[in-house]
Amino acid sequence: MVRLSGRSATRPPRASGPPRAPKGPASDGPGKGGGRAGALRAAVTGRSVAGQVFLLQVVIVLLLIVAAVVAQVLQVQRDSDTEAQNRSLAVAQSFANAPGTAAALRTPDPTKILQPRAEAVRKSTGVDFVVVMNTDGIRYTHPKPDRIGKKFVGTIAPAVAGGTVTEHVNGTIGPLVQVVVPVKDSAGKVVGLVSAGITTAHVGGTAAQQLPLLLAAAAAALALATAGTALVSRRLLRQTHGLGPYEMTRMYEHHDAVLHAVREGVLIVGDNGRLLLANDEAQRLLDLPKDAERRSVLELGLDDETAALLASGRVATDEVHLVKDRLLAINQRPTDVRGGPAGSVATLRDSTELRALLGRAEVARERLNMLYEAGVGIGTSLDVTRTAEELAELAVPRFADFATVDLFEAVLHGEEPRPGTALRRTAAAGVRKDTPLYPVGERIRFVATSPQARSLTTGQSVVVPVLRDAPGWRAQDLERTDQVLEYGIHSLITVPLRAGSLVLGVANFWRSEKPEPFDSEELALAEELVARAAVSIDNARRYTREHSMAVTLQRSLLPRTLPEQGALEIAYRYLPAQSGVGGDWFDVLPLSGARVALVVGDVVGHGLHAAATMGRLRTAVHNFSALDLPPDELLGLLDELVGRIDQDETSVDGSAAIAGATCLYAVYDPVSRCCTVARAGHPPPAVVGPDGSVEFPEVPAGPPLGLGGLPFETAELELAEGSRLVLYTDGLVEDRDRDIDEGLELLRDALHRTPGASSEETCRTVLERLPARPDDDVALIVARTRVLGPDRVAEWQVPSDPAAVSQVRASVTRQLADWGLEELDFTTELILSELVTNAIRYGRGPIGVRLLRDRTLICEVSDRSTTSPHLRYAATTDEGGRGLFLVAQLADRWGTRYSPNGKIIWAEQPLP
């Protein structure tokens, strides 16, 4: 016997002797509803077979009794009706043939003679009426005198013809049986009619008198029948154990299924060790003889241990016995636990094939689980390297002991692979860390005979069952392959990472712990895993390429270096979002008069479209700033531009327009320390004073760019020297976890901690509180203000007189001498002479001249005219027209800017 783990219990040995009779319901105690009362209750419920038989018999007896009573009543009524007809006929004929009846009908007043006679006959015979009438049916007599002289109710035509009429009518005295006979004279002529009748009430009187007797007899018969039926049902109840027809039918069907249909062996053994029942499956599993039932289980040819178990009747749970060539799992339980007959029931289950199938099913389940986890666990990020690592980590240790992924270099950079180039080991995982395989990051060029090279060339998987017998693989690196074999790695599967027609690299699965080599089923699993991973790697490659292109475009559109200027000490930071490319941008634009413009903006949305729109806006700001426009006018022009961009995008492809953009534009003048700010839907700037105080000045919030229809307003801020002006985009102060108010307070706290810090230190401190990769792009500019003091600024008022030009030249010469810029005397005098002369000749006073010594020497001439001069080429015969041409040749830059009071012509010269 082969016995596997299970539970068993022993029962005391069975006592010898005749089998005990099972306890039936009739012998149950009062607690179980036994006795006569219990049997009767079970019978009358109708749920059991006995109850239904009892009810059926009672109903049949009741129907028979009712039928007998009804038949008797109908018979009595029929006899009464016949008697009524006969009595009525006799009375009517006797009265019609009585002497004097015909003669009385000929008298003038037949009623006077016949009415007393008719009433006397009626009372003496017991009929209800005797009516005499003429041949027309007019009554001469009636029990109710008021009916005399009225029409008779009934049929009289046959009687007028000499016949007799018998009928049931609803007369004046109620429903009745009446007879009409003719009254004939001596010549045989009908001279009148006589009708006699009895009402229905008198007819049914006899039947009503007999009805109580009939009902009493019926009740007695019903009681006797019920008592007899109860006795029969009690005996039937005892024999059927109170089961209903549905339960008995189901029991029979289950019994038949157990015997013939169920695919599990069932044996019932009596308490004397004899086989009482064996179904078809038990006979097949145990190979029992045909006459096995009623024989002892010890005589059925079973092995000793199995026969002893079945004969003992002890409790057994999943005991496995070797019966011939089968492993049978046997469960056995006693049958008398709940008052049933003594004995035991055993079930047999063939577990021979099941155990083999369980092993294969477990392997299949594990593989399906791996494929499911590959579907949800590989490709969780759009990162090529991470996706390769997820493939290797999934395969180890459930499928392979070591897994490596080698990708072409181009794939790692988002490009399409180039066959024939080297691969780089991108990911590796294993049950141990000291493997001699190529490490991650190693550039590998596989030899043509290696499995990896063949897989890359053919696009097919390669299985190397025994690496020691694979010279092509060993030719890759003899020293390293020897180390791999000594390490214990003995089998390999190489699967190409294919995405469509592209081969991105190879995945290698190595085995060392299990002695068996990889087989064909494991190859199919490896191909399925790699196929799913290849799609994710290719998606990550495409995303990497597109992201790199977008980032490249974005970086190319942002300023690479800041222009030289002396008004502000500037530091900036730009942090891209976690994914995608945003439209945040910033710029620093030197303006005339040593002023500097700072601009920061944010295009709504992400991707290439947002980056391209950002580039267009930045270019537009460059162009508009060259016109030296005030901040509010510049934002107005940007608003119109964004509106046109939206219209163009919608008209081209029908897609939704860009939701707009936000922008903040500030111009700082180091001479007046005034900063003019305007914003379009952008967060307000922050100002950090020299003492470290932080405030967010009130700057009118205009609508975002692209909405149109509303003007923009400016605010003028006077900044002390050493103040820090902080401009930023909303990614710095707002994200999905906090609103903008909370973000502004955090920014205030960060700036408050940096009193006296430089712009670079301020940037670093502010960004330390941000996550490494924020949800949105962040652009930050910190500008520390500088002041162009009075020692570097010279101003003069010039009268509108050409003779004043010489005085200006003299004053300029002295100022240049004070600044040590004598080398610029000639060019500066020439530039100012031309500019002042033009202002006197074409402008309106007052006229002002200002020199600024900054990184360059700046000459400015202002007047009240709004007419801007234009550079032109003078003809050889022209006497004038060469002034601005000379200025343009002598100065590095020159231009015109407008002020609320007129215009300013300026020119810049480099310092020596």
Side-chain angles (χ1 to χ4, degrees):
M1 179 187 75
V2 178
R3 179 172 299 170
L4 301 182
S5 59
R7 295 176 300 155
S8 65
T10 60
R11 296 174 55 199
R14 294 191 173 110
S16 61
R20 292 172 292 176
K23 296 181 181 179
S27 61
D28 292 342
K32 296 184 179 180
R36 185 174 301 172
L40 184 60
R41 283 196 301 271
V44 299
T45 57
R47 296 181 181 177
S48 64
V49 172
Q52 293 187 6
V53 171
F54 172 76
L55 294 177
L56 180 61
Q57 290 179 347
V58 170
V59 169
I60 292 174
V61 171
L62 183 61
L63 290 177
L64 290 176
I65 292 174
V66 170
V69 171
V70 171
Q72 185 65 28
V73 171
L74 293 177
Q75 182 64 36
V76 171
Q77 290 180 350
R78 183 175 177 278
D79 292 343
S80 298
D81 188 63
T82 302
E83 181 183 356
Q85 292 180 17
N86 292 336
R87 186 187 302 180
S88 299
L89 179 61
V91 171
Q93 288 179 344
S94 298
F95 194 90
N97 297 325
T101 300
L105 290 173
R106 292 189 181 96
T107 64
D109 188 6
T111 302
K112 183 178 180 182
I113 301 172
L114 297 177
Q115 176 67 11
R117 295 180 183 179
E119 285 300 302
V121 171
R122 180 181 68 80
K123 294 177 180 179
S124 63
T125 59
V127 297
D128 288 307
F129 67 88
V130 176
V131 176
V132 182
M133 68 197 87
N134 60 15
T135 55
D136 294 327
I138 302 301
R139 299 188 187 102
Y140 292 139
T141 66
H142 196 278
K144 297 181 179 181
D146 59 334
R147 304 294 174 90
I148 298 173
K150 297 182 180 180
K151 186 73 173 180
F152 175 75
V153 179
T155 304
I156 62 174
V160 173
T164 300
V165 178
T166 301
E167 62 181 344
H168 295 75
V169 298
N170 189 10
T172 58
I173 60 175
L176 51 84
V177 179
Q178 66 182 11
V179 176
V180 182
V181 299
V183 179
K184 299 179 181 180
D185 58 9
S186 58
K189 179 181 177 182
V190 177
V191 295
L193 303 174
V194 177
S195 175
I198 300 176
T199 61
T200 304
H202 289 150
V203 175
T206 304
Q209 294 174 0
Q210 296 179 354
L211 184 60
L213 180 61
L214 291 175
L215 293 178
L222 179 61
L224 291 175
T226 302
T229 301
L231 293 176
V232 174
S233 298
R234 179 184 177 187
R235 183 171 183 83
L236 183 60
L237 181 67
R238 208 183 270 178
Q239 293 179 350
T240 59
H241 296 281
L243 297 177
Y246 172 74
E247 288 82 1
M248 294 186 67
T249 302
R250 185 178 62 179
M251 180 184 295
Y252 173 78
E253 292 174 349
H254 291 178
H255 181 271
D256 187 74
V258 169
L259 287 179
H260 305 294
V262 70
R263 302 310 301 167
E264 186 168 321
V266 178
L267 296 174
I268 299 179
V269 181
D271 61 345
N272 57 0
R274 294 185 178 276
L275 180 64
L276 301 181
L277 182 142
N279 68 346
D280 294 350
E281 184 68 8
Q283 293 180 1
R284 184 184 69 85
L285 294 175
L286 299 177
D287 195 17
L288 298 176
K290 294 182 179 180
D291 59 346
E293 294 186 0
R294 301 297 176 182
R295 292 175 58 184
S296 173
V297 293
L298 301 176
E299 302 173 358
L300 299 180
L302 304 175
D303 64 277
D304 295 340
E305 293 189 1
T306 304
L309 171 63
L310 297 176
S312 67
R314 64 179 175 83
V315 175
T317 302
D318 287 338
E319 285 192 17
V320 179
H321 291 251
L322 178 61
V323 180
K324 297 182 180 180
D325 58 346
R326 294 187 178 93
L327 286 174
L328 300 182
I330 302 177
N331 290 273
Q332 187 166 261
R333 295 291 184 275
T335 58
D336 58 355
V337 176
R338 298 184 180 179
S344 62
V345 58
T347 59
L348 313 174
R349 186 174 65 254
D350 189 356
S351 61
T352 307
E353 297 179 357
L354 179 60
R355 295 186 179 276
L357 288 174
L358 284 176
R360 291 196 293 269
E362 181 63 23
V363 173
R365 187 193 65 81
E366 177 63 21
R367 292 178 178 176
L368 287 175
N369 189 39
M370 284 185 61
L371 292 177
Y372 170 77
E373 292 186 11
V376 299
I378 298 178
T380 57
S381 64
L382 293 174
D383 183 84
V384 174
T385 301
R386 180 56 194 153
T387 305
E389 292 173 350
E390 290 170 345
L391 171 61
E393 292 169 359
L394 179 67
V396 176
R398 291 188 294 177
F399 176 68
D401 299 315
F402 299 94
T404 58
V405 180
D406 305 324
L407 299 176
F408 286 105
E409 292 266 9
V411 174
L412 298 174
H413 302 293
E415 304 297 332
E416 290 190 1
R418 294 185 292 274
T421 59
L423 288 84
R424 187 174 295 278
R425 178 136 298 175
T426 308
V431 295
R432 290 175 290 181
K433 300 297 184 181
D434 56 345
T435 172
L437 298 171
Y438 287 117
V440 174
E442 183 86 6
R443 292 184 77 254
I444 308 170
R445 186 178 294 274
F446 292 104
V447 298
T449 59
S450 65
Q452 291 84 355
R454 284 187 288 149
S455 183
L456 291 171
T457 303
T458 63
Q460 302 296 322
S461 303
V462 177
V463 180
V464 184
V466 182
L467 289 174
R468 191 174 298 276
D469 299 335
W473 170 74
R474 302 194 66 178
Q476 175 68 33
D477 187 340
L478 292 177
E479 181 179 356
R480 185 178 294 273
T481 54
D482 287 341
Q483 294 175 357
V484 171
L485 294 175
E486 292 176 3
Y487 189 78
I489 297 177
H490 59 82
S491 188
L492 167 67
I493 291 180
T494 295
V495 183
L497 284 156
R498 297 186 57 181
S501 60
L502 296 179
V503 178
L504 309 175
V506 292
N508 308 295
F509 304 97
W510 313 80
R511 175 166 288 177
S512 64
E513 301 294 327
K514 298 180 181 179
E516 301 85 4
F518 286 113
D519 56 24
S520 57
E521 293 185 1
E522 291 169 321
L523 173 62
L525 175 60
E527 290 177 339
E528 184 69 21
L529 286 174
V530 173
R532 299 190 181 200
V535 174
S536 298
I537 291 176
D538 188 54
N539 289 338
R541 177 190 67 84
R542 294 173 183 270
Y543 173 78
T544 300
R545 180 185 61 188
E546 294 176 1
H547 184 69
S548 299
M549 293 172 57
V551 170
T552 301
L553 172 62
Q554 185 187 39
R555 294 294 185 186
S556 67
L557 296 175
L558 291 173
R560 299 184 180 181
T561 59
L562 296 182
E564 294 183 1
Q565 48 80 34
L568 298 169
E569 174 196 326
I570 295 178
Y572 68 92
R573 294 290 189 277
Y574 181 85
L575 298 181
Q578 291 182 2
S579 61
V581 175
D584 291 17
W585 55 285
F586 65 94
D587 222 329
V588 178
L589 306 171
L591 302 177
S592 62
R595 297 171 304 129
V596 177
L598 301 177
V599 58
V600 63
D602 183 6
V603 176
V604 175
H606 290 83
L608 287 174
H609 189 74
T613 304
M614 176 267 287
R616 297 172 71 176
L617 292 180
R618 181 169 177 256
T619 302
V621 170
H622 272 262
N623 294 333
F624 295 151
S625 66
L627 301 176
D628 229 326
L629 298 175
D632 54 341
E633 295 184 18
L634 187 142
L635 290 182
L637 295 176
L638 283 182
D639 181 60
E640 295 179 4
L641 174 62
V642 173
R644 287 196 299 270
I645 292 175
D646 289 353
Q647 294 176 1
D648 293 343
E649 293 295 332
T650 304
S651 62
V652 170
D653 55 9
S655 61
I658 305 170
T662 65
C663 183
L664 186 147
Y665 189 83
V667 177
Y668 174 68
D669 188 346
V671 178
S672 63
R673 296 184 292 108
C674 178
C675 182
T676 305
V677 185
R679 62 187 178 115
H682 203 82
V687 176
V688 184
D691 57 352
S693 60
V694 181
E695 64 175 342
F696 294 93
E698 291 292 336
V699 178
L705 301 177
L707 298 183
L710 295 176
F712 297 96
E713 300 181 56
T714 61
E716 293 188 353
L717 311 177
E718 185 174 348
L719 304 179
E721 185 175 7
S723 299
R724 283 167 288 170
L725 182 65
V726 181
L727 308 182
Y728 51 90
T729 56
D730 58 356
L732 181 69
V733 295
E734 185 178 16
D735 60 24
R736 65 187 65 174
D737 298 327
R738 63 171 183 267
D739 57 19
I740 190 170
D741 293 334
E742 182 181 355
L744 290 175
E745 288 302 317
L746 293 175
L747 176 60
R748 181 193 299 272
D749 182 67
L751 294 174
H752 188 70
R753 297 178 182 179
T754 59
S758 64
S759 299
E760 193 68 31
E761 292 172 346
T762 303
C763 282
R764 185 166 54 252
T765 302
V766 169
L767 294 183
E768 283 178 354
R769 66 180 184 84
L770 288 179
R773 300 190 67 185
D775 296 334
D776 195 5
D777 294 358
V778 174
L780 173 65
I781 300 178
V782 178
R784 179 185 288 275
T785 61
R786 297 169 180 164
V787 176
L788 208 59
D791 59 329
R792 304 176 67 181
V793 179
E795 294 183 281
W796 301 275
Q797 292 296 321
V798 180
S800 297
D801 183 1
V805 175
S806 60
Q807 300 175 5
V808 171
R809 286 199 298 266
S811 299
V812 168
T813 300
R814 289 192 299 270
Q815 185 63 55
L816 292 178
D818 293 341
W819 286 342
L821 300 177
E822 292 86 352
E823 298 180 11
L824 300 179
D825 282 350
F826 177 74
T827 56
T828 304
E829 290 179 3
L830 183 56
I831 291 173
L832 285 176
S833 297
E834 294 297 331
L835 296 180
V836 171
T837 300
N838 283 340
I840 294 173
R841 181 176 299 178
Y842 304 109
R844 296 198 305 268
I847 300 172
V849 174
R850 187 172 72 165
L851 287 181
L852 303 176
R853 182 188 175 190
D854 192 23
R855 294 180 306 104
T856 60
L857 180 63
I858 304 171
C859 303
E860 295 182 345
V861 176
S862 61
D863 66 79
R864 293 297 182 93
S865 172
T866 58
T867 303
S868 177
H870 297 283
L871 180 66
R872 64 186 182 87
Y873 292 96
T876 56
T877 59
D878 291 342
E879 295 183 0
R882 298 177 178 83
L884 284 181
F885 180 79
L886 292 175
V887 172
Q889 297 299 314
L890 296 175
D892 276 0
R893 292 196 312 154
W894 76 279
T896 303
R897 74 172 182 270
Y898 294 92
S899 66
N901 299 322
K903 68 175 183 298
I904 298 173
I905 310 298
W906 56 270
E908 291 184 3
Q909 304 175 70
L911 297 178

